[in-house]
PDB file of all heavy atoms in Angstrom:
ATOM      1  N   ALA A   1       7.714   2.108 -27.639  1.00  0.00           N
ATOM      2  CA  ALA A   1       9.146   2.456 -27.586  1.00  0.00           C
ATOM      3  C   ALA A   1       9.860   1.605 -26.549  1.00  0.00           C
ATOM      4  O   ALA A   1       9.325   1.340 -25.469  1.00  0.00           O
ATOM      5  CB  ALA A   1       9.320   3.928 -27.245  1.00  0.00           C
ATOM      6  N   VAL A   2      11.082   1.194 -26.894  1.00  0.00           N
ATOM      7  CA  VAL A   2      11.913   0.511 -25.904  1.00  0.00           C
ATOM      8  C   VAL A   2      12.231   1.502 -24.787  1.00  0.00           C
ATOM      9  O   VAL A   2      12.664   2.629 -25.041  1.00  0.00           O
ATOM     10  CB  VAL A   2      13.214   0.009 -26.545  1.00  0.00           C
ATOM     11  CG1 VAL A   2      14.136  -0.582 -25.483  1.00  0.00           C
ATOM     12  CG2 VAL A   2      12.895  -1.027 -27.614  1.00  0.00           C
ATOM     13  N   GLY A   3      12.000   1.096 -23.552  1.00  0.00           N
ATOM     14  CA  GLY A   3      12.155   2.011 -22.444  1.00  0.00           C
ATOM     15  C   GLY A   3      10.912   2.838 -22.182  1.00  0.00           C
ATOM     16  O   GLY A   3      10.901   3.685 -21.296  1.00  0.00           O
ATOM     17  N   GLY A   4       9.842   2.562 -22.932  1.00  0.00           N
ATOM     18  CA  GLY A   4       8.566   3.246 -22.743  1.00  0.00           C
ATOM     19  C   GLY A   4       7.594   2.362 -22.004  1.00  0.00           C
ATOM     20  O   GLY A   4       7.962   1.666 -21.062  1.00  0.00           O
ATOM     21  N   LYS A   5       6.348   2.341 -22.447  1.00  0.00           N
ATOM     22  CA  LYS A   5       5.335   1.594 -21.704  1.00  0.00           C
ATOM     23  C   LYS A   5       5.325   0.110 -22.034  1.00  0.00           C
ATOM     24  O   LYS A   5       4.951  -0.718 -21.211  1.00  0.00           O
ATOM     25  CB  LYS A   5       3.943   2.193 -21.980  1.00  0.00           C
ATOM     26  CG  LYS A   5       2.897   1.732 -20.971  1.00  0.00           C
ATOM     27  CD  LYS A   5       1.594   2.508 -21.111  1.00  0.00           C
ATOM     28  CE  LYS A   5       0.603   2.090 -20.034  1.00  0.00           C
ATOM     29  NZ  LYS A   5      -0.669   2.844 -20.110  1.00  0.00           N
ATOM     30  N   ASN A   6       5.763  -0.247 -23.264  1.00  0.00           N
ATOM     31  CA  ASN A   6       5.595  -1.633 -23.694  1.00  0.00           C
ATOM     32  C   ASN A   6       6.438  -2.631 -22.898  1.00  0.00           C
ATOM     33  O   ASN A   6       6.069  -3.781 -22.755  1.00  0.00           O
ATOM     34  CB  ASN A   6       5.916  -1.769 -25.187  1.00  0.00           C
ATOM     35  CG  ASN A   6       7.405  -1.554 -25.468  1.00  0.00           C
ATOM     36  OD1 ASN A   6       8.038  -0.712 -24.874  1.00  0.00           O
ATOM     37  ND2 ASN A   6       7.957  -2.352 -26.386  1.00  0.00           N
ATOM     38  N   ASP A   7       7.580  -2.176 -22.335  1.00  0.00           N
ATOM     39  CA  ASP A   7       8.428  -3.114 -21.613  1.00  0.00           C
ATOM     40  C   ASP A   7       8.564  -2.767 -20.128  1.00  0.00           C
ATOM     41  O   ASP A   7       9.493  -3.208 -19.474  1.00  0.00           O
ATOM     42  CB  ASP A   7       9.818  -3.191 -22.268  1.00  0.00           C
ATOM     43  CG  ASP A   7      10.529  -1.833 -22.301  1.00  0.00           C
ATOM     44  OD1 ASP A   7       9.927  -0.827 -21.889  1.00  0.00           O
ATOM     45  OD2 ASP A   7      11.685  -1.801 -22.753  1.00  0.00           O
ATOM     46  N   MET A   8       7.637  -1.963 -19.616  1.00  0.00           N
ATOM     47  CA  MET A   8       7.722  -1.547 -18.214  1.00  0.00           C
ATOM     48  C   MET A   8       7.634  -2.733 -17.249  1.00  0.00           C
ATOM     49  O   MET A   8       8.389  -2.815 -16.279  1.00  0.00           O
ATOM     50  CB  MET A   8       6.626  -0.537 -17.881  1.00  0.00           C
ATOM     51  CG  MET A   8       6.906   0.867 -18.393  1.00  0.00           C
ATOM     52  SD  MET A   8       5.617   2.040 -17.888  1.00  0.00           S
ATOM     53  CE  MET A   8       6.613   3.259 -17.046  1.00  0.00           C
ATOM     54  N   VAL A   9       6.699  -3.634 -17.511  1.00  0.00           N
ATOM     55  CA  VAL A   9       6.539  -4.784 -16.609  1.00  0.00           C
ATOM     56  C   VAL A   9       7.791  -5.634 -16.618  1.00  0.00           C
ATOM     57  O   VAL A   9       8.251  -6.099 -15.570  1.00  0.00           O
ATOM     58  CB  VAL A   9       5.280  -5.591 -17.021  1.00  0.00           C
ATOM     59  CG1 VAL A   9       5.232  -6.892 -16.223  1.00  0.00           C
ATOM     60  CG2 VAL A   9       4.022  -4.780 -16.796  1.00  0.00           C
ATOM     61  N   ALA A  10       8.365  -5.837 -17.798  1.00  0.00           N
ATOM     62  CA  ALA A  10       9.587  -6.655 -17.893  1.00  0.00           C
ATOM     63  C   ALA A  10      10.736  -5.981 -17.156  1.00  0.00           C
ATOM     64  O   ALA A  10      11.496  -6.632 -16.444  1.00  0.00           O
ATOM     65  CB  ALA A  10       9.950  -6.872 -19.359  1.00  0.00           C
ATOM     66  N   ARG A  11      10.894  -4.658 -17.321  1.00  0.00           N
ATOM     67  CA  ARG A  11      11.982  -3.948 -16.644  1.00  0.00           C
ATOM     68  C   ARG A  11      11.785  -3.965 -15.134  1.00  0.00           C
ATOM     69  O   ARG A  11      12.728  -4.104 -14.365  1.00  0.00           O
ATOM     70  CB  ARG A  11      12.081  -2.526 -17.172  1.00  0.00           C
ATOM     71  CG  ARG A  11      12.678  -2.438 -18.568  1.00  0.00           C
ATOM     72  CD  ARG A  11      12.896  -1.016 -19.025  1.00  0.00           C
ATOM     73  NE  ARG A  11      11.664  -0.341 -19.395  1.00  0.00           N
ATOM     74  CZ  ARG A  11      11.194   0.740 -18.829  1.00  0.00           C
ATOM     75  NH1 ARG A  11      11.838   1.303 -17.824  1.00  0.00           N
ATOM     76  NH2 ARG A  11      10.071   1.301 -19.239  1.00  0.00           N
ATOM     77  N   ALA A  12      10.534  -3.837 -14.699  1.00  0.00           N
ATOM     78  CA  ALA A  12      10.262  -3.819 -13.261  1.00  0.00           C
ATOM     79  C   ALA A  12      10.522  -5.177 -12.620  1.00  0.00           C
ATOM     80  O   ALA A  12      10.746  -5.268 -11.414  1.00  0.00           O
ATOM     81  CB  ALA A  12       8.824  -3.397 -13.011  1.00  0.00           C
ATOM     82  N   SER A  13      10.517  -6.236 -13.414  1.00  0.00           N
ATOM     83  CA  SER A  13      10.711  -7.586 -12.867  1.00  0.00           C
ATOM     84  C   SER A  13      12.110  -7.790 -12.319  1.00  0.00           C
ATOM     85  O   SER A  13      12.379  -8.768 -11.609  1.00  0.00           O
ATOM     86  CB  SER A  13      10.395  -8.642 -13.920  1.00  0.00           C
ATOM     87  OG  SER A  13      11.395  -8.632 -14.948  1.00  0.00           O
ATOM     88  N   THR A  14      13.045  -6.881 -12.633  1.00  0.00           N
ATOM     89  CA  THR A  14      14.410  -7.015 -12.119  1.00  0.00           C
ATOM     90  C   THR A  14      14.640  -6.237 -10.828  1.00  0.00           C
ATOM     91  O   THR A  14      15.737  -6.256 -10.279  1.00  0.00           O
ATOM     92  CB  THR A  14      15.421  -6.525 -13.173  1.00  0.00           C
ATOM     93  OG1 THR A  14      15.237  -5.124 -13.420  1.00  0.00           O
ATOM     94  CG2 THR A  14      15.257  -7.299 -14.481  1.00  0.00           C
ATOM     95  N   THR A  15      13.626  -5.514 -10.334  1.00  0.00           N
ATOM     96  CA  THR A  15      13.753  -4.811  -9.057  1.00  0.00           C
ATOM     97  C   THR A  15      13.696  -5.829  -7.935  1.00  0.00           C
ATOM     98  O   THR A  15      13.224  -6.960  -8.122  1.00  0.00           O
ATOM     99  CB  THR A  15      12.632  -3.787  -8.864  1.00  0.00           C
ATOM    100  OG1 THR A  15      11.384  -4.478  -8.736  1.00  0.00           O
ATOM    101  CG2 THR A  15      12.562  -2.819 -10.044  1.00  0.00           C
ATOM    102  N   PRO A  16      14.143  -5.479  -6.723  1.00  0.00           N
ATOM    103  CA  PRO A  16      14.043  -6.410  -5.610  1.00  0.00           C
ATOM    104  C   PRO A  16      12.627  -6.929  -5.368  1.00  0.00           C
ATOM    105  O   PRO A  16      12.449  -8.098  -4.985  1.00  0.00           O
ATOM    106  CB  PRO A  16      14.560  -5.598  -4.418  1.00  0.00           C
ATOM    107  CG  PRO A  16      15.584  -4.692  -5.038  1.00  0.00           C
ATOM    108  CD  PRO A  16      14.985  -4.307  -6.359  1.00  0.00           C
ATOM    109  N   LEU A  17      11.609  -6.096  -5.565  1.00  0.00           N
ATOM    110  CA  LEU A  17      10.234  -6.556  -5.368  1.00  0.00           C
ATOM    111  C   LEU A  17       9.694  -7.296  -6.592  1.00  0.00           C
ATOM    112  O   LEU A  17       8.596  -7.840  -6.548  1.00  0.00           O
ATOM    113  CB  LEU A  17       9.315  -5.388  -5.017  1.00  0.00           C
ATOM    114  CG  LEU A  17       9.516  -4.793  -3.622  1.00  0.00           C
ATOM    115  CD1 LEU A  17       8.450  -3.724  -3.343  1.00  0.00           C
ATOM    116  CD2 LEU A  17       9.470  -5.870  -2.542  1.00  0.00           C
ATOM    117  N   ARG A  18      10.447  -7.280  -7.699  1.00  0.00           N
ATOM    118  CA  ARG A  18      10.137  -8.066  -8.892  1.00  0.00           C
ATOM    119  C   ARG A  18       8.795  -7.693  -9.544  1.00  0.00           C
ATOM    120  O   ARG A  18       8.131  -8.535 -10.136  1.00  0.00           O
ATOM    121  CB  ARG A  18      10.140  -9.574  -8.576  1.00  0.00           C
ATOM    122  CG  ARG A  18      11.472 -10.098  -8.034  1.00  0.00           C
ATOM    123  CD  ARG A  18      12.566 -10.054  -9.102  1.00  0.00           C
ATOM    124  NE  ARG A  18      13.736 -10.826  -8.729  1.00  0.00           N
ATOM    125  CZ  ARG A  18      14.873 -10.307  -8.275  1.00  0.00           C
ATOM    126  NH1 ARG A  18      14.988  -8.971  -8.138  1.00  0.00           N
ATOM    127  NH2 ARG A  18      15.897 -11.079  -7.982  1.00  0.00           N
ATOM    128  N   ARG A  19       8.392  -6.434  -9.424  1.00  0.00           N
ATOM    129  CA  ARG A  19       7.137  -6.033 -10.059  1.00  0.00           C
ATOM    130  C   ARG A  19       7.097  -4.518 -10.217  1.00  0.00           C
ATOM    131  O   ARG A  19       7.876  -3.786  -9.586  1.00  0.00           O
ATOM    132  CB  ARG A  19       5.931  -6.465  -9.217  1.00  0.00           C
ATOM    133  CG  ARG A  19       5.839  -5.778  -7.848  1.00  0.00           C
ATOM    134  CD  ARG A  19       4.545  -6.131  -7.135  1.00  0.00           C
ATOM    135  NE  ARG A  19       4.452  -5.528  -5.806  1.00  0.00           N
ATOM    136  CZ  ARG A  19       4.016  -4.293  -5.571  1.00  0.00           C
ATOM    137  NH1 ARG A  19       3.631  -3.514  -6.577  1.00  0.00           N
ATOM    138  NH2 ARG A  19       3.944  -3.825  -4.326  1.00  0.00           N
ATOM    139  N   ALA A  20       6.186  -4.051 -11.072  1.00  0.00           N
ATOM    140  CA  ALA A  20       5.946  -2.625 -11.213  1.00  0.00           C
ATOM    141  C   ALA A  20       5.081  -2.136 -10.052  1.00  0.00           C
ATOM    142  O   ALA A  20       4.396  -2.914  -9.384  1.00  0.00           O
ATOM    143  CB  ALA A  20       5.253  -2.340 -12.544  1.00  0.00           C
ATOM    144  N   GLY A  21       5.128  -0.846  -9.839  1.00  0.00           N
ATOM    145  CA  GLY A  21       4.283  -0.230  -8.817  1.00  0.00           C
ATOM    146  C   GLY A  21       2.944   0.197  -9.383  1.00  0.00           C
ATOM    147  O   GLY A  21       2.689   0.107 -10.588  1.00  0.00           O
ATOM    148  N   THR A  22       2.082   0.695  -8.508  1.00  0.00           N
ATOM    149  CA  THR A  22       0.775   1.198  -8.938  1.00  0.00           C
ATOM    150  C   THR A  22       0.654   2.678  -8.544  1.00  0.00           C
ATOM    151  O   THR A  22       1.309   3.127  -7.588  1.00  0.00           O
ATOM    152  CB  THR A  22      -0.366   0.424  -8.268  1.00  0.00           C
ATOM    153  OG1 THR A  22      -0.387   0.694  -6.855  1.00  0.00           O
ATOM    154  CG2 THR A  22      -0.218  -1.078  -8.503  1.00  0.00           C
ATOM    155  N   PRO A  23      -0.174   3.424  -9.233  1.00  0.00           N
ATOM    156  CA  PRO A  23      -0.386   4.812  -8.843  1.00  0.00           C
ATOM    157  C   PRO A  23      -0.863   4.963  -7.397  1.00  0.00           C
ATOM    158  O   PRO A  23      -0.492   5.912  -6.711  1.00  0.00           O
ATOM    159  CB  PRO A  23      -1.467   5.293  -9.822  1.00  0.00           C
ATOM    160  CG  PRO A  23      -1.259   4.447 -11.046  1.00  0.00           C
ATOM    161  CD  PRO A  23      -0.870   3.082 -10.494  1.00  0.00           C
ATOM    162  N   GLU A  24      -1.655   3.998  -6.958  1.00  0.00           N
ATOM    163  CA  GLU A  24      -2.180   4.056  -5.586  1.00  0.00           C
ATOM    164  C   GLU A  24      -1.069   3.921  -4.557  1.00  0.00           C
ATOM    165  O   GLU A  24      -1.122   4.540  -3.486  1.00  0.00           O
ATOM    166  CB  GLU A  24      -3.232   2.960  -5.377  1.00  0.00           C
ATOM    167  CG  GLU A  24      -4.526   3.186  -6.138  1.00  0.00           C
ATOM    168  CD  GLU A  24      -4.397   2.956  -7.644  1.00  0.00           C
ATOM    169  OE1 GLU A  24      -3.482   2.186  -8.063  1.00  0.00           O
ATOM    170  OE2 GLU A  24      -5.206   3.518  -8.408  1.00  0.00           O
ATOM    171  N   GLU A  25      -0.042   3.140  -4.864  1.00  0.00           N
ATOM    172  CA  GLU A  25       1.088   3.001  -3.953  1.00  0.00           C
ATOM    173  C   GLU A  25       1.891   4.301  -3.845  1.00  0.00           C
ATOM    174  O   GLU A  25       2.365   4.675  -2.780  1.00  0.00           O
ATOM    175  CB  GLU A  25       1.969   1.838  -4.386  1.00  0.00           C
ATOM    176  CG  GLU A  25       1.334   0.477  -4.144  1.00  0.00           C
ATOM    177  CD  GLU A  25       2.155  -0.676  -4.692  1.00  0.00           C
ATOM    178  OE1 GLU A  25       2.565  -0.609  -5.879  1.00  0.00           O
ATOM    179  OE2 GLU A  25       2.394  -1.659  -3.944  1.00  0.00           O
ATOM    180  N   ILE A  26       2.017   5.006  -4.967  1.00  0.00           N
ATOM    181  CA  ILE A  26       2.722   6.276  -4.932  1.00  0.00           C
ATOM    182  C   ILE A  26       1.868   7.316  -4.199  1.00  0.00           C
ATOM    183  O   ILE A  26       2.405   8.114  -3.413  1.00  0.00           O
ATOM    184  CB  ILE A  26       3.028   6.760  -6.372  1.00  0.00           C
ATOM    185  CG1 ILE A  26       3.748   5.664  -7.167  1.00  0.00           C
ATOM    186  CG2 ILE A  26       3.847   8.043  -6.321  1.00  0.00           C
ATOM    187  CD1 ILE A  26       5.000   5.130  -6.502  1.00  0.00           C
ATOM    188  N   ALA A  27       0.579   7.283  -4.410  1.00  0.00           N
ATOM    189  CA  ALA A  27      -0.316   8.214  -3.719  1.00  0.00           C
ATOM    190  C   ALA A  27      -0.256   8.017  -2.206  1.00  0.00           C
ATOM    191  O   ALA A  27      -0.334   8.998  -1.446  1.00  0.00           O
ATOM    192  CB  ALA A  27      -1.746   8.009  -4.215  1.00  0.00           C
ATOM    193  N   ALA A  28      -0.098   6.798  -1.767  1.00  0.00           N
ATOM    194  CA  ALA A  28      -0.007   6.525  -0.330  1.00  0.00           C
ATOM    195  C   ALA A  28       1.235   7.163   0.267  1.00  0.00           C
ATOM    196  O   ALA A  28       1.212   7.690   1.381  1.00  0.00           O
ATOM    197  CB  ALA A  28      -0.011   5.020  -0.070  1.00  0.00           C
ATOM    198  N   VAL A  29       2.347   7.132  -0.475  1.00  0.00           N
ATOM    199  CA  VAL A  29       3.579   7.753  -0.001  1.00  0.00           C
ATOM    200  C   VAL A  29       3.422   9.268   0.040  1.00  0.00           C
ATOM    201  O   VAL A  29       3.822   9.920   1.010  1.00  0.00           O
ATOM    202  CB  VAL A  29       4.773   7.363  -0.911  1.00  0.00           C
ATOM    203  CG1 VAL A  29       6.025   8.103  -0.490  1.00  0.00           C
ATOM    204  CG2 VAL A  29       4.998   5.846  -0.840  1.00  0.00           C
ATOM    205  N   ALA A  30       2.830   9.833  -1.003  1.00  0.00           N
ATOM    206  CA  ALA A  30       2.604  11.281  -1.023  1.00  0.00           C
ATOM    207  C   ALA A  30       1.717  11.704   0.134  1.00  0.00           C
ATOM    208  O   ALA A  30       1.970  12.726   0.796  1.00  0.00           O
ATOM    209  CB  ALA A  30       1.976  11.698  -2.355  1.00  0.00           C
ATOM    210  N   ALA A  31       0.667  10.934   0.404  1.00  0.00           N
ATOM    211  CA  ALA A  31      -0.234  11.257   1.504  1.00  0.00           C
ATOM    212  C   ALA A  31       0.492  11.209   2.846  1.00  0.00           C
ATOM    213  O   ALA A  31       0.282  12.062   3.712  1.00  0.00           O
ATOM    214  CB  ALA A  31      -1.421  10.302   1.506  1.00  0.00           C
ATOM    215  N   PHE A  32       1.369  10.236   3.011  1.00  0.00           N
ATOM    216  CA  PHE A  32       2.150  10.165   4.259  1.00  0.00           C
ATOM    217  C   PHE A  32       2.996  11.409   4.420  1.00  0.00           C
ATOM    218  O   PHE A  32       3.022  12.033   5.491  1.00  0.00           O
ATOM    219  CB  PHE A  32       3.045   8.923   4.235  1.00  0.00           C
ATOM    220  CG  PHE A  32       4.168   8.990   5.227  1.00  0.00           C
ATOM    221  CD1 PHE A  32       3.930   8.915   6.596  1.00  0.00           C
ATOM    222  CD2 PHE A  32       5.490   9.149   4.806  1.00  0.00           C
ATOM    223  CE1 PHE A  32       4.981   8.998   7.518  1.00  0.00           C
ATOM    224  CE2 PHE A  32       6.533   9.238   5.715  1.00  0.00           C
ATOM    225  CZ  PHE A  32       6.273   9.158   7.071  1.00  0.00           C
ATOM    226  N   LEU A  33       3.702  11.806   3.373  1.00  0.00           N
ATOM    227  CA  LEU A  33       4.592  12.961   3.463  1.00  0.00           C
ATOM    228  C   LEU A  33       3.818  14.255   3.709  1.00  0.00           C
ATOM    229  O   LEU A  33       4.345  15.186   4.332  1.00  0.00           O
ATOM    230  CB  LEU A  33       5.415  13.084   2.188  1.00  0.00           C
ATOM    231  CG  LEU A  33       6.473  11.991   1.980  1.00  0.00           C
ATOM    232  CD1 LEU A  33       7.099  12.088   0.590  1.00  0.00           C
ATOM    233  CD2 LEU A  33       7.558  12.049   3.052  1.00  0.00           C
ATOM    234  N   LEU A  34       2.601  14.332   3.230  1.00  0.00           N
ATOM    235  CA  LEU A  34       1.760  15.515   3.464  1.00  0.00           C
ATOM    236  C   LEU A  34       1.125  15.519   4.840  1.00  0.00           C
ATOM    237  O   LEU A  34       0.686  16.576   5.310  1.00  0.00           O
ATOM    238  CB  LEU A  34       0.673  15.612   2.393  1.00  0.00           C
ATOM    239  CG  LEU A  34       1.132  15.975   0.977  1.00  0.00           C
ATOM    240  CD1 LEU A  34      -0.008  15.777  -0.011  1.00  0.00           C
ATOM    241  CD2 LEU A  34       1.641  17.409   0.922  1.00  0.00           C
ATOM    242  N   SER A  35       1.081  14.373   5.476  1.00  0.00           N
ATOM    243  CA  SER A  35       0.349  14.237   6.727  1.00  0.00           C
ATOM    244  C   SER A  35       1.188  14.610   7.938  1.00  0.00           C
ATOM    245  O   SER A  35       2.421  14.709   7.877  1.00  0.00           O
ATOM    246  CB  SER A  35      -0.151  12.806   6.897  1.00  0.00           C
ATOM    247  OG  SER A  35       0.903  11.954   7.298  1.00  0.00           O
ATOM    248  N   ASP A  36       0.509  14.766   9.061  1.00  0.00           N
ATOM    249  CA  ASP A  36       1.190  15.043  10.320  1.00  0.00           C
ATOM    250  C   ASP A  36       1.998  13.838  10.802  1.00  0.00           C
ATOM    251  O   ASP A  36       2.835  13.967  11.703  1.00  0.00           O
ATOM    252  CB  ASP A  36       0.179  15.440  11.405  1.00  0.00           C
ATOM    253  CG  ASP A  36      -0.467  16.780  11.101  1.00  0.00           C
ATOM    254  OD1 ASP A  36       0.121  17.572  10.329  1.00  0.00           O
ATOM    255  OD2 ASP A  36      -1.572  17.044  11.611  1.00  0.00           O
ATOM    256  N   ASP A  37       1.773  12.669  10.217  1.00  0.00           N
ATOM    257  CA  ASP A  37       2.586  11.501  10.548  1.00  0.00           C
ATOM    258  C   ASP A  37       4.034  11.711  10.130  1.00  0.00           C
ATOM    259  O   ASP A  37       4.945  11.039  10.625  1.00  0.00           O
ATOM    260  CB  ASP A  37       2.042  10.245   9.856  1.00  0.00           C
ATOM    261  CG  ASP A  37       0.685   9.841  10.396  1.00  0.00           C
ATOM    262  OD1 ASP A  37       0.399  10.106  11.590  1.00  0.00           O
ATOM    263  OD2 ASP A  37      -0.104   9.254   9.639  1.00  0.00           O
ATOM    264  N   ALA A  38       4.262  12.621   9.186  1.00  0.00           N
ATOM    265  CA  ALA A  38       5.618  12.940   8.727  1.00  0.00           C
ATOM    266  C   ALA A  38       6.044  14.312   9.235  1.00  0.00           C
ATOM    267  O   ALA A  38       6.800  15.023   8.567  1.00  0.00           O
ATOM    268  CB  ALA A  38       5.668  12.901   7.207  1.00  0.00           C
ATOM    269  N   SER A  39       5.598  14.671  10.425  1.00  0.00           N
ATOM    270  CA  SER A  39       5.814  16.033  10.945  1.00  0.00           C
ATOM    271  C   SER A  39       7.275  16.400  11.164  1.00  0.00           C
ATOM    272  O   SER A  39       7.619  17.577  11.237  1.00  0.00           O
ATOM    273  CB  SER A  39       5.040  16.218  12.255  1.00  0.00           C
ATOM    274  OG  SER A  39       5.472  15.267  13.224  1.00  0.00           O
ATOM    275  N   TYR A  40       8.172  15.406  11.237  1.00  0.00           N
ATOM    276  CA  TYR A  40       9.591  15.694  11.434  1.00  0.00           C
ATOM    277  C   TYR A  40      10.404  15.302  10.201  1.00  0.00           C
ATOM    278  O   TYR A  40      11.593  15.061  10.269  1.00  0.00           O
ATOM    279  CB  TYR A  40      10.123  14.975  12.676  1.00  0.00           C
ATOM    280  CG  TYR A  40      11.414  15.558  13.229  1.00  0.00           C
ATOM    281  CD1 TYR A  40      11.524  16.915  13.521  1.00  0.00           C
ATOM    282  CD2 TYR A  40      12.516  14.744  13.456  1.00  0.00           C
ATOM    283  CE1 TYR A  40      12.696  17.435  14.035  1.00  0.00           C
ATOM    284  CE2 TYR A  40      13.696  15.260  13.973  1.00  0.00           C
ATOM    285  CZ  TYR A  40      13.787  16.620  14.250  1.00  0.00           C
ATOM    286  OH  TYR A  40      14.960  17.135  14.759  1.00  0.00           O
ATOM    287  N   VAL A  41       9.729  15.275   9.058  1.00  0.00           N
ATOM    288  CA  VAL A  41      10.372  14.901   7.794  1.00  0.00           C
ATOM    289  C   VAL A  41      10.303  16.078   6.835  1.00  0.00           C
ATOM    290  O   VAL A  41       9.206  16.543   6.505  1.00  0.00           O
ATOM    291  CB  VAL A  41       9.687  13.681   7.148  1.00  0.00           C
ATOM    292  CG1 VAL A  41      10.371  13.306   5.852  1.00  0.00           C
ATOM    293  CG2 VAL A  41       9.673  12.498   8.117  1.00  0.00           C
ATOM    294  N   THR A  42      11.453  16.561   6.397  1.00  0.00           N
ATOM    295  CA  THR A  42      11.472  17.602   5.363  1.00  0.00           C
ATOM    296  C   THR A  42      12.759  17.508   4.562  1.00  0.00           C
ATOM    297  O   THR A  42      13.785  17.021   5.057  1.00  0.00           O
ATOM    298  CB  THR A  42      11.307  19.005   5.971  1.00  0.00           C
ATOM    299  OG1 THR A  42      10.949  19.923   4.937  1.00  0.00           O
ATOM    300  CG2 THR A  42      12.573  19.504   6.656  1.00  0.00           C
ATOM    301  N   GLY A  43      12.677  17.939   3.310  1.00  0.00           N
ATOM    302  CA  GLY A  43      13.827  17.913   2.425  1.00  0.00           C
ATOM    303  C   GLY A  43      14.234  16.530   1.956  1.00  0.00           C
ATOM    304  O   GLY A  43      15.325  16.338   1.411  1.00  0.00           O
ATOM    305  N   GLN A  44      13.342  15.560   2.111  1.00  0.00           N
ATOM    306  CA  GLN A  44      13.693  14.181   1.762  1.00  0.00           C
ATOM    307  C   GLN A  44      13.090  13.770   0.422  1.00  0.00           C
ATOM    308  O   GLN A  44      12.012  14.231   0.046  1.00  0.00           O
ATOM    309  CB  GLN A  44      13.184  13.222   2.847  1.00  0.00           C
ATOM    310  CG  GLN A  44      13.765  13.503   4.213  1.00  0.00           C
ATOM    311  CD  GLN A  44      15.283  13.503   4.214  1.00  0.00           C
ATOM    312  OE1 GLN A  44      15.902  12.515   3.825  1.00  0.00           O
ATOM    313  NE2 GLN A  44      15.891  14.613   4.633  1.00  0.00           N
ATOM    314  N   ILE A  45      13.799  12.903  -0.266  1.00  0.00           N
ATOM    315  CA  ILE A  45      13.308  12.293  -1.507  1.00  0.00           C
ATOM    316  C   ILE A  45      13.039  10.840  -1.184  1.00  0.00           C
ATOM    317  O   ILE A  45      13.982  10.043  -1.050  1.00  0.00           O
ATOM    318  CB  ILE A  45      14.326  12.398  -2.645  1.00  0.00           C
ATOM    319  CG1 ILE A  45      14.877  13.839  -2.764  1.00  0.00           C
ATOM    320  CG2 ILE A  45      13.684  11.945  -3.954  1.00  0.00           C
ATOM    321  CD1 ILE A  45      13.832  14.898  -3.044  1.00  0.00           C
ATOM    322  N   LEU A  46      11.793  10.493  -1.009  1.00  0.00           N
ATOM    323  CA  LEU A  46      11.423   9.137  -0.598  1.00  0.00           C
ATOM    324  C   LEU A  46      11.172   8.296  -1.843  1.00  0.00           C
ATOM    325  O   LEU A  46      10.220   8.526  -2.585  1.00  0.00           O
ATOM    326  CB  LEU A  46      10.184   9.174   0.289  1.00  0.00           C
ATOM    327  CG  LEU A  46       9.690   7.850   0.861  1.00  0.00           C
ATOM    328  CD1 LEU A  46      10.817   7.062   1.513  1.00  0.00           C
ATOM    329  CD2 LEU A  46       8.572   8.099   1.879  1.00  0.00           C
TER     330      LEU A  46
END
């Protein structure tokens, strides 16, 4: 489908980083927000 998985890489190429992300990169952000390193962070959409 257009807007589905087949053109994700092409659509991501227009972002400032010019690429798609990986599940591991999202997991790293989630882990940060769950950790004490983010102890003064709440209610944020990162």
Side-chain angles (χ1 to χ4, degrees):
V2 174
K5 195 170 184 179
N6 68 321
D7 59 356
M8 283 183 124
V9 172
R11 286 185 286 120
S13 69
T14 64
T15 67
L17 289 186
R18 301 292 194 257
R19 65 174 178 85
T22 68
E24 290 73 24
E25 289 175 310
I26 307 307
V29 175
F32 162 70
L33 291 172
L34 289 170
S35 77
D36 293 339
D37 293 331
S39 59
Y40 200 53
V41 180
T42 196
Q44 300 305 303
I45 312 300
L46 183 49

